[in-house]
Amino acid sequence: MPPAHHAPSLRLYTQCDPGIACCASHSLAEVYYSTLTRLPLPHRATPDQAIEFLENIHSRFRLVSLEGDDYPDCIREAAAKRISGGAIYDALIARCAVQAGADEMFTWNTRHYQLLGAEVSKRIKSPVLD
């Protein structure tokens, strides 16, 4: 994430209330394994630091999970839209948001989500830059 995105992302994050905000369950693994514990040194989090951050995420968001058949269905739909690579994780997150009835999804990566169709595109927003 570019440094300019940090402040608006943090501002939005601190406003999250588990009564209304939700997060795809598998995003916790992505945050831990793909981000926090793989950052270049000296910014890399230790496992204990990463778990502390995940606990904070869990306290701010209601976790949303997909059911068994939702995974292959979502992957098939993404493949039909010619979506490949890491964008499949965006498709899974979007499926969680739609199933949770989210009105809004916040991301800096709007392009990947807009490829997922109107049901997802209408929910996409970016945090506001200063």
Side-chain angles (χ1 to χ4, degrees):
M1 176 185 321
H5 292 177
H6 291 183
S9 296
L10 182 60
R11 201 168 28 256
L12 181 62
Y13 176 78
T14 59
Q15 294 172 11
C16 291
D17 173 346
I20 57 171
C22 62
C23 172
S25 303
H26 72 271
S27 292
L28 294 179
E30 283 189 71
V31 167
Y32 183 87
Y33 287 103
S34 296
T35 306
L36 296 175
T37 60
R38 294 194 65 203
L39 288 168
L41 293 173
H43 305 290
R44 182 177 301 153
T46 66
D48 289 340
Q49 291 168 327
I51 291 299
E52 187 175 328
F53 188 65
L54 292 182
E55 292 297 336
N56 189 279
I57 292 171
H58 190 222
S59 74
R60 292 185 181 276
F61 295 92
R62 176 174 52 93
L63 296 179
V64 178
S65 299
L66 298 178
E67 298 292 324
D69 286 342
D70 292 330
Y71 282 93
D73 290 348
C74 183
I75 294 167
R76 277 189 216 95
E77 289 172 18
K81 292 176 176 145
R82 313 316 274 166
I83 293 167
S84 61
I88 192 59
Y89 297 107
D90 298 332
L92 293 169
I93 291 167
R95 174 69 67 101
C96 286
V98 170
Q99 286 188 0
D103 294 327
E104 301 172 317
M105 289 179 54
F106 290 92
T107 182
W108 291 108
N109 188 4
T110 58
R111 187 179 60 83
H112 281 178
Y113 288 94
Q114 289 169 343
L115 297 173
L116 297 169
E119 192 63 26
V120 173
S121 291
K122 71 181 183 182
R123 293 174 161 84
I124 299 302
K125 295 190 179 205
S126 287
V128 177
L129 287 172
D130 294 330

